[in-house]
Amino acid sequence: MTPVDSWKAHSSKLQRSLNTLCCATVISLSAASSWGAESPLHQRIDVAIGAGLTEFENLAADDAGDAAFARRLYLDLAGTIPSAEQARQFLADGSPDKRAKLIDQLLGSPHHARRMQYAFDTMLMERRPDKHIKADQWRNFLRQSFAEGKPWDELVAEMLTADGSDEQSRPAAKFLLDRELKTDAMTRDLGRIFLGRDLQCAQCHDHPNIDDYLQRHYHGLAAFLNRSYLFTDPESKQASIGEKADGTVKFTSVFTSESDETAPRVLELPPIEDPPLADEPYTVKPDKKVRSVPVYSRRLQLALAMTDSSNVAFRRNIVNRLWAMMMGRGIVEPVDMSHSGNPPSHPALLDLLAEEFHEHNYDVRYLLRELALTKTYQRSSLYKVGAENLADDRFAVALLKPLTPEQLAWSMMQATSLTDATLDDLKTQYLLADAENDPAQIEDLLWQEEALHDSLKSHVDTFVGFFGVAGIQTSQFDASANQALFLRNGAELQNWLEPSGQRLTAHLATLDGPQLVDEFYFSVFSRPPNAEEVQQVTMFLEEYKENRDAAIEQLVWAALSSAEFRFNH
Amino acid sequence: MRRNQGCNPLEHVMARRQFLGGAAAGAIGMGVLGHHAQAVQLKRQEKRILQVFLQGGVSQLESWDPKPGTVHGGPFQAIPTSVPGIHISELLPNIAQRMHNLSIVRSINIKSNDHEQGRQFMEKGRRVGDFPYVGAVASKYLTPADSQLPGYVHVSTRGITDVAGGAAFLGARHGQLKLEGVKPPGNLAPPEGVDALADAGRDQLRLQFNQRFVERRSKALTEAYDASYQQAAKLMSRKEMFEGRASKQDLDRYGTHDFGRYCLLARNLLENGAACVKVTHHGYDSHAENFNFHLEQLGEFDKPFCMLLDDLKARGMLESTLVVIYSEFGRTPKVNVRYGRDHWGTAWSVALGGCGIQPGAVIGKTNDTGTAVADREVDAGHLFHTYLQAVGLDSTADHDMPGRSIPIGDPSAESIKELLV
């Protein structure tokens, strides 16, 4: 039995695993049946957001409108802006449930799995340089996991149980292996990333400013891993995780000099005492040449304890993070500073989301769907006159979300038509490469997504280099001169603006008047222009008409460099 | 013996050759800064930091803490300096004449012999964790509002990657702008086919797009975004500042080799409002032929550094500029079989002076053979507090970040008070 199988057995989640196998249909059914009397979650979310503020509805922003909704949703769920064609199609669709349909369509797309791969890679590894597990393997593991709708607790269990010795599960071990089992990094990140608590300052003493971050919390988490170590195979040089059968965690406060010892424990949950040491405590005895494996592993207790139903912090953390991804800030913000001095903006809402997420088997897609269906998500980012002073944490207006480096890269490639042009090339190449190649293949969405990704990945990496931040991720927006120089003068963007082949600039050059402006607005901003905008663009092109091609390039550059493009709004 | 990045003797040889071959290009011209701007700059008396990083780990025995005549003291003599009683290595004759502007801390023990750990500790004042570098902190708190430059600029030849430019949670704006020698930063020239007029036209259009977008939207984010374009435009308009044009007089004084030119560039950057300029002088990791290497390296370092020091002083800037000469660690008080010295974080020195620093002082000491700190042991945490307090920042206060406050310096360390004015 693999560790994850044993996790499944132990955590009595067989029923849940079965549900997961046929998740898409089961979810809507079970949502309908078990919550028959109650309104759907997205409606209860809106009620919770409105509660407590009189006249909320009068102050809250209007609906975003279909065009703004579609652009926002494409970015949040599929990681890129829609093409002009997709945007137009959505606007033209007259069906009343078209927003729900788009949500489902995007959640089921291979682009969604990629978007989640990017988001969770950033959240879990924080753009640190590779150490022991190749990023590609790890990212593939994440993408596959989201593609198959793996529940969050199961995904985490896989990450915390994999020891790197087995090829199949090895990619999942990146979280632990790339932190090299170093107590500081390990413990802090377990607390921050899975429990929403930055316990670093509680390493040497109870936190000086935060009443509920205690030294025993830090060391309780450390105790799960204190016996584990980085083992490097002398022959293959491959790193994996070994573990000893003994070792305790003692700590002393540098303030009070009080000492204590702790067994593994998650925050205030009961400590998990070791069973009596067996006569032969090792399955594989420690030796320089082998990875030692104890009969009783503290590390394997971690996945169980972390994902146990009693560990409410675990699910509150992830629903808060998913909320922040969709809404622009956490209900607890910063997302890794959950404590009594920094309470949630909407405590009942956080409880509601956590419990519903638990009920629905830690199904990420279910939660994203419900969030996207809320009025809260679908509001305009334009505040109502008179509501300008409402705090961000009221969620009365859609917050501006800076595009991630990946979203920015893909959106710029989409807007300039590099994406579509590349896909056409890839299709042609595929068919020409071998007469036996199946023409049906090139219509397969997964094939398309993967082929495009592989072909354009280096551009995405370039954007990550300029716009990505390694280390603790915050929701703060920051922009450097270096980034602006890259957008102003860098080779990438300049290249994409050249009017050749199917590029947007080449296509626009074949158009004229309002038609040109309309195509330009749909391609870059996913919406039709208003009269003032038509006039403005027309005037600009008129002013530089001696060199029309250059003027069109400058027009597209200015739009790509605008705030409207930089932020998901 | 450890063989880290930069330790390979071959690499040293290559670097030498590059230096010899690359020194030919010279240019004559005036410094770009006009007298008026200088006067304005001086009037403000803002504070700033100059860091000279001797990469690889300079030997304290061949520089600030010589032990001639001891078993592992090496062949070089100690010479008297302009401060009675202070002796430094004969490899630093120009600095010796200016010792009254500097002070030495001889009692550093960082308890690490690892390049990367040592460097991180010396920059962040903490052994572990995502904390900002001294330069990023300076950028955040010392950059004048109307500065023409990013706050933190690093002039270096070879790539050492600093995660997020050393800014950590302070954000990309405060990360280092890295200059590869006297070359403008990347993407500083407008793309081919976009002349100044077209560039201005498209930027005007960008602003028009923004204008409509920001109506009835929160301004904080959009303003930060626009500020980055303004900063980029300022850099583009001052491209020549980075190109290392220098007058014949300056080149005569500083020398025409790379490090001389870096020092001249550093002077320009400091005059133009950079809050922290770091200049890296590579190649002190002398596991073999330590003495030849130091003879050569410090020979290259000593004079241009002193010219820079003199110029800062002549411009009245020294009293508002903290100057620090540091490494990631020192070198072993034991000569190995290849006449080298190895990594040594246990008992070594830095020199500093200028703004807020008591001149002509020596803090702490090592024992007679240099194998241990004998008095007033400090580590990089103490130095970090000292640097920031020297430029008037309260290093015991917190960075006030949204939702959290993070102590600026390590709360378990404090400044070297007797070194501060």
Side-chain angles (χ1 to χ4, degrees), chain A residues 423-435:
Chain A
L423 184 58
D424 282 351
D425 287 349
L426 289 165
K427 287 177 176 176
T428 313
Q429 280 165 22
Y430 177 82
L431 294 180
L432 288 177
D434 189 341

Side-chain angles (χ1 to χ4, degrees), chain A residues 76-79 105-117 146 325 364-365 368 449:
Chain A
D76 283 333
L77 298 186
Q105 179 206 321
L106 293 178
L107 282 174
S109 71
H111 300 87
H112 177 63
R114 183 76 66 187
R115 157 73 171 139
M116 297 304 275
Q117 169 212 306
F146 285 104
M325 181 176 128
V364 173
R365 224 181 279 175
L368 292 177
E449 199 282 334

Side-chain angles (χ1 to χ4, degrees), chain A residues 389-440:
Chain A
N389 293 327
L390 271 185
D392 284 355
D393 69 4
R394 292 300 94 204
F395 300 104
V397 60
L399 303 177
L400 299 186
K401 293 174 286 193
L403 301 197
T404 64
E406 293 90 350
Q407 286 173 324
L408 191 60
W410 284 109
S411 297
M412 288 199 172
M413 293 191 286
Q414 177 69 264
T416 54
S417 306
L418 181 72
T419 313
D420 293 347
T422 307
L423 184 58
D424 282 351
D425 287 349
L426 289 165
K427 287 177 176 176
T428 313
Q429 280 165 22
Y430 177 82
L431 294 180
L432 288 177
D434 189 341
E436 304 275 292
N437 280 348
D438 178 8

Side-chain angles (χ1 to χ4, degrees), chain B residues 56-308:
Chain B
V58 70
S59 168
Q60 70 285 0
L61 294 160
E62 274 69 55
S63 57
W64 313 114
D65 193 11
K67 308 273 184 192
T70 62
V71 58
H72 287 293
F76 300 118
Q77 295 304 305
I79 53 172
T81 67
S82 60
V83 179
I86 300 185
H87 288 63
I88 61 173
S89 169
E90 63 175 324
L91 297 182
L92 299 171
N94 289 293
I95 289 182
Q97 291 169 21
R98 293 161 178 82
M99 200 63 231
H100 55 283
N101 293 318
L102 297 171
S103 287
I104 303 172
V105 179
R106 281 180 175 158
S107 49
I108 302 168
N109 180 3
I110 58 163
K111 298 178 182 152
S112 170
N113 295 326
D114 180 90
H115 281 289
E116 188 56 17
Q117 283 175 14
R119 191 170 69 87
Q120 294 287 326
F121 192 17
M122 289 299 285
E123 293 288 4
K124 301 191 296 201
R126 270 134 159 137
R127 287 179 197 282
V128 291
D130 290 317
F131 292 97
Y133 287 12
V134 178
V137 176
S139 169
K140 172 141 174 107
Y141 297 107
L142 298 180
T143 302
D146 57 346
S147 174
Q148 303 289 306
L149 286 173
Y152 179 21
V153 188
H154 181 187
V155 189
S156 167
T157 331
R158 273 175 286 163
I160 296 173
T161 39
D162 290 286
V163 171
F169 49 77
L170 295 181
R173 234 175 317 167
H174 301 296
Q176 54 185 233
L177 175 72
K178 186 147 179 198
L179 302 178
E180 279 179 44
V182 280
K183 251 190 355 203
N187 297 321
L188 206 56
E192 221 174 297
V194 181
D195 60 21
L197 197 66
D199 198 36
R202 65 179 193 166
D203 205 47
Q204 195 57 39
L205 192 60
R206 177 184 68 82
L207 290 171
Q208 283 177 25
F209 281 126
N210 284 356
Q211 216 165 23
R212 235 191 331 275
F213 182 75
V214 300
E215 264 175 66
R216 286 169 54 213
R217 283 193 173 94
S218 133
K219 309 271 182 293
L221 301 187
T222 50
E223 279 172 4
Y225 187 44
D226 189 50
S228 70
Y229 280 85
Q230 292 173 19
Q231 183 105 75
K234 283 181 192 168
L235 286 174
M236 287 168 70
S237 72
R238 324 208 73 188
K239 183 161 173 278
E240 71 279 11
M241 180 166 68
F242 301 103
E243 286 170 342
R245 282 198 217 157
S247 68
K248 185 168 181 309
Q249 297 96 305
D250 278 341
L251 289 176
D252 286 347
R253 293 172 60 231
Y254 281 74
T256 51
H257 52 70
D258 283 354
F259 185 68
R261 289 173 185 277
Y262 296 179
C263 286
L264 272 171
L265 176 56
R267 191 186 73 187
N268 265 347
L269 294 166
L270 289 167
E271 282 176 336
N272 280 273
C276 179
V277 175
K278 174 175 172 177
V279 180
T280 291
H281 192 218
H282 288 278
Y284 287 87
D285 198 18
S286 50
H287 290 289
E289 297 294 342
N290 173 72
F291 305 104
N292 286 336
F293 262 105
H294 275 77
L295 181 65
E296 208 172 334
Q297 287 286 126
L298 290 173
E300 189 174 283
F301 159 77
D302 182 45
K303 178 135 189 253
F305 170 76
C306 285
M307 296 304 102
L308 178 53

Side-chain angles (χ1 to χ4, degrees), chain B residues 222-405:
Chain B
T222 50
E223 279 172 4
Y225 187 44
D226 189 50
S228 70
Y229 280 85
Q230 292 173 19
Q231 183 105 75
K234 283 181 192 168
L235 286 174
M236 287 168 70
S237 72
R238 324 208 73 188
K239 183 161 173 278
E240 71 279 11
M241 180 166 68
F242 301 103
E243 286 170 342
R245 282 198 217 157
S247 68
K248 185 168 181 309
Q249 297 96 305
D250 278 341
L251 289 176
D252 286 347
R253 293 172 60 231
Y254 281 74
T256 51
H257 52 70
D258 283 354
F259 185 68
R261 289 173 185 277
Y262 296 179
C263 286
L264 272 171
L265 176 56
R267 191 186 73 187
N268 265 347
L269 294 166
L270 289 167
E271 282 176 336
N272 280 273
C276 179
V277 175
K278 174 175 172 177
V279 180
T280 291
H281 192 218
H282 288 278
Y284 287 87
D285 198 18
S286 50
H287 290 289
E289 297 294 342
N290 173 72
F291 305 104
N292 286 336
F293 262 105
H294 275 77
L295 181 65
E296 208 172 334
Q297 287 286 126
L298 290 173
E300 189 174 283
F301 159 77
D302 182 45
K303 178 135 189 253
F305 170 76
C306 285
M307 296 304 102
L308 178 53
L309 196 68
D310 288 355
D311 285 353
L312 290 176
K313 199 166 182 186
R315 285 159 168 73
M317 289 170 67
L318 188 57
E319 59 197 48
S320 54
T321 307
L322 170 71
V323 179
V324 183
I325 307 158
Y326 68 120
S327 287
E328 60 268 56
F329 42 52
R331 306 214 74 85
T332 42
K334 185 172 186 305
V335 180
N336 67 27
V337 292
R338 297 190 298 165
Y339 304 102
R341 294 188 190 274
D342 300 318
H343 301 174
W344 182 247
T346 312
W348 58 289
S349 312
V350 303
L352 65 175
C355 183
I357 297 294
Q358 201 69 252
V362 172
I363 303 294
K365 62 178 181 197
T366 49
N367 64 14
D368 290 347
T369 46
T371 55
V373 171
D375 181 36
R376 187 57 168 125
E377 179 172 314
V378 296
D379 65 23
H382 302 90
L383 291 168
F384 188 87
H385 279 284
T386 307
Y387 302 152
L388 294 181
Q389 290 183 19
V391 291
L393 298 176
D394 180 3
S395 58
T396 64
D398 288 352
H399 293 292
D400 189 11
M401 310 304 289
R404 63 179 103 209
S405 44

Side-chain angles (χ1 to χ4, degrees), chain A residues 119-162:
Chain A
F120 277 77
D121 180 28
T122 308
M123 180 183 116
L124 294 164
M125 298 314 297
E126 304 195 309
R127 303 196 191 278
R128 290 165 205 279
D130 265 8
K131 285 264 172 68
H132 299 292
I133 305 283
K134 289 204 174 73
D136 283 351
Q137 295 175 1
W138 155 254
R139 290 172 185 161
N140 218 26
F141 159 74
L142 287 176
R143 188 165 60 97
Q144 293 297 339
S145 298
F146 285 104
E148 68 197 43
K150 192 180 286 170
W152 172 242
D153 58 342
E154 190 176 326
L155 179 58
V156 173
E158 289 182 5
M159 288 190 288
L160 298 182
T161 52

